[in-house]
Amino acid sequence: MTIPWHHKTTIYQIYPRSFYDSNGDGIGDIPGIIQKLDYIHELGFETIWISPFFASPQADTGYDISDYTDIAPEYGTMCDALQLIDEVHKRGMRIVFDMVMNHTSIEHPWFKESRSSRGSPKADWYIWRGSPLPMGEGPGVRVKPNNWQSITGGSGWHYARERGQYFWASFLPFQPDLNYRNPEVKEAMLNIVRFWLGKGVDGFRLDIFNVIYKDAEFRDNPFTFKLMPTEDDPSGFFQEAKYTLNQPESFTFARELRNVCDKFGEKLLLGEVSGNKQIIRKFLGKENNDGLTLVFDFEMLGFKFAAEYFRELIRNTEKHFPDPFMPVYVFSNHDRRRSIHRLGNDPRKAKLLHMLQLTVRGVPCMYYGEEIGMTNARFPFATALDPIPHKFKFLPRFVFDILGLTINRDEVRTPMQWDGTRNAGFSSAEKTWLPLHGNYRGVNAEKQSDAKDSLLNTIRTLLKIRREKRPLQEGSMKLMDNLPAGVLGYARKFGDENILVLLNFAGQEIEFQFENQECIFKLSQRDERKENTIYLDGLGGMILKANAMPKK
Ligand code: NOJ
């Protein structure tokens, strides 16, 4: 049986503001992405996901949309967007847009109308609660509809004087949630989905898809002792997010959305969801995977660099996402720490991490710049463009450092480091929208293209091997037992072809007995296979061709 293209593809995430500035205004744009498509194509990724570039006041850099079928002028025009789709397809690649269905910008005409009066035709398009108070009544008298907290902390209810009511915002106050219990809203949003599918996009990454529905009865969320939300459990700020996340209607909606998209062919639907594996799996639908086609599992963003950690992760992932489901392997994005930052900025560790990501059973999703080891910048909260750190300005910075949290997302969104010239070749502007990371003269794509063993070239080679070897794209997956501590190994099989992957997470060389297999890739120059023995350098790794799957 063949598996759909979106279960065997490789995804490269572009943050458009930071990728390439073609017109010298300091902001990346769509024509800039088009100019750099050959870079991504030659690197070997097959699908591109682009963070939003639609019309927006940019209060949350594009995740606050004011028109879903128009392009923000700093990024280009509709013509540029259509050309981008076309240019991607000409190269045999696919393109996925970012669909923010849960909320609009406060500037969206729908919200303006909804807010204007309780009698407006779109009065019920957003989530409004609370009985109207006589005009002019002081803030002390108002009572929030219930105890619900937003994902970013603090109440998500915001008062609008025009209606004397509160509207609900799951994320930030300028991102009001749409009311999907109103069939008109659902249809309007599905029409936007149809609009872009009609233009040829190959699917969508779905922003905070798990908050689309909230409890119909608006019941209070229960208390919990949990302070900070974690990847496997989004509850936090002393509240269990029982009625604000992962409602049964959201799982049903995933299937409805899939149904709409299926009319346009095989489309990729990648959900940004949160919760443990059992919960996020529900977004994929029934046993035949009739819901979203893929979901992120953000537990991986908190990875520990250890063979045992990855062994357990893979074991668990395989348990919850067996065929016909396909897991996604992701280690960073525009909201979280750069992966190499978590690895003490050690490119050898980054090579090993990405070798795992590109050979394990799953769709790899890599954030721009990871391929050259771009790392976190450090900026003060007070001057952040990202709205989140402004919410936490009262807390000392070291609290977040200890918790290992990137609160100021500007730090992971710095412009792409193309070369060692001014502005890293990203822009000819006097000032770029965010400062460059100070290390760009040493860490950039041009320099790494020329260095045979660079992180960039390692990733290029691994992507090439993956494209050539069907076991790596769509083969079964079996963890190997009885390997020395510190070594992770797995076998991938498709038809008669068997591929073995060995990864040494330990800092020192490890030698062990291993049946004769043919080595097709080694990570470190010193990795070696002699007769029935394997020598893996500290942080080394090998891909081997085997005649049979290992017995254990
Ligand atoms: C998740 C996105 O990844 C993030 O960047 C954005 O701020 C929020 N959703 C709100 O849309």
Side-chain angles (χ1 to χ4, degrees), residues 60 63 103 171 175 205 207-208 272 334-335 409 413:
D60 187 16
Y63 282 94
H103 52 266
F171 206 70
Q175 292 161 312
R205 174 263 187 192
D207 192 67
I208 47 174
E272 186 199 25
H334 61 291
D335 295 328
R409 297 173 298 171
R413 297 171 176 181

Side-chain angles (χ1 to χ4, degrees), residues 30 38 77 114 133 181 204-205 223 229 241 256 289 294 297 312 349 370 379 386 415 444 488 514 521 534 536 542:
I30 299 174
D38 285 336
T77 60
S114 187
L133 294 168
R181 295 186 191 276
F204 304 100
R205 174 263 187 192
F223 173 83
E256 284 178 64
N289 184 202
L294 298 164
D297 176 3
E312 193 47 28
K349 289 187 176 170
E370 295 283 301
F379 300 137
D386 179 13
N444 63 64
L488 175 70
F514 207 75
F521 174 81
I534 294 267
L536 285 181
M542 264 192 198

Side-chain angles (χ1 to χ4, degrees), residues 317-454:
T317 303
E318 285 299 298
K319 182 171 144 207
H320 287 95
F321 299 89
D323 187 43
F325 304 104
M326 187 60 81
V328 176
Y329 278 79
V330 64
F331 297 123
S332 66
N333 63 29
H334 61 291
D335 295 328
R336 310 299 172 97
R337 287 171 290 175
R338 289 271 184 188
S339 62
I340 201 167
H341 174 82
R342 309 206 54 203
L343 299 172
N345 294 319
D346 184 340
R348 292 179 314 152
K349 289 187 176 170
K351 283 183 195 172
L352 195 71
L353 181 77
H354 293 305
M355 180 162 165
L356 176 137
Q357 187 182 27
L358 298 172
T359 55
V360 74
R361 179 181 164 272
V363 170
C365 183
M366 205 181 284
Y367 184 45
Y368 83 94
E370 295 283 301
E371 73 276 20
I372 53 169
M374 276 177 64
T375 193
N376 280 31
R378 197 165 169 94
F379 300 137
F381 281 16
T383 51
L385 298 179
D386 179 13
I388 305 256
H390 294 279
K391 279 188 91 158
F392 295 97
K393 268 196 289 219
F394 59 95
L395 281 172
R397 174 77 197 240
F398 71 83
V399 175
F400 302 105
D401 290 344
I402 291 171
L403 294 170
L405 295 173
T406 289
I407 292 291
N408 182 359
R409 297 173 298 171
D410 293 351
E411 297 177 348
V412 300
R413 297 171 176 181
T414 55
M416 174 68 183
Q417 298 168 198
W418 293 107
D419 57 39
T421 64
R422 208 172 129 263
N423 291 338
F426 159 72
S427 164
S428 59
E430 237 0 88
K431 196 167 176 258
T432 53
W433 81 282
L434 275 180
L436 272 291
H437 192 290
N439 71 1
Y440 75 82
R441 284 191 187 80
V443 177
N444 63 64
E446 187 182 70
K447 195 165 174 181
Q448 292 198 21
S449 288
D450 298 338
K452 189 168 158 281
D453 291 328
S454 63

Side-chain angles (χ1 to χ4, degrees), residues 4 112 130 137 163 180 212 276 295 373 390 413 428 451 480 503 521:
K112 287 188 182 164
E137 202 149 346
R163 292 177 52 140
Y180 278 82
I212 290 247
N276 63 34
V295 285
H390 294 279
R413 297 171 176 181
S428 59
M480 284 188 236
L503 305 164
F521 174 81

Side-chain angles (χ1 to χ4, degrees), residues 53-54 68-71 77-89 95 97 99 191-204 264 267:
F53 46 59
F54 309 105
Y68 289 80
T69 54
D70 197 7
I71 308 298
T77 60
M78 178 58 89
C79 211
D80 294 327
L82 299 183
Q83 193 192 342
L84 173 64
I85 298 172
D86 198 39
E87 292 290 337
V88 168
H89 288 161
I95 183 160
F97 281 5
M99 200 34 73
N191 278 337
I192 289 165
V193 165
R194 291 185 187 103
F195 171 86
W196 284 114
L197 291 174
K199 303 275 179 226
V201 303
D202 299 295
F204 304 100
F264 292 79
K267 300 292 173 183

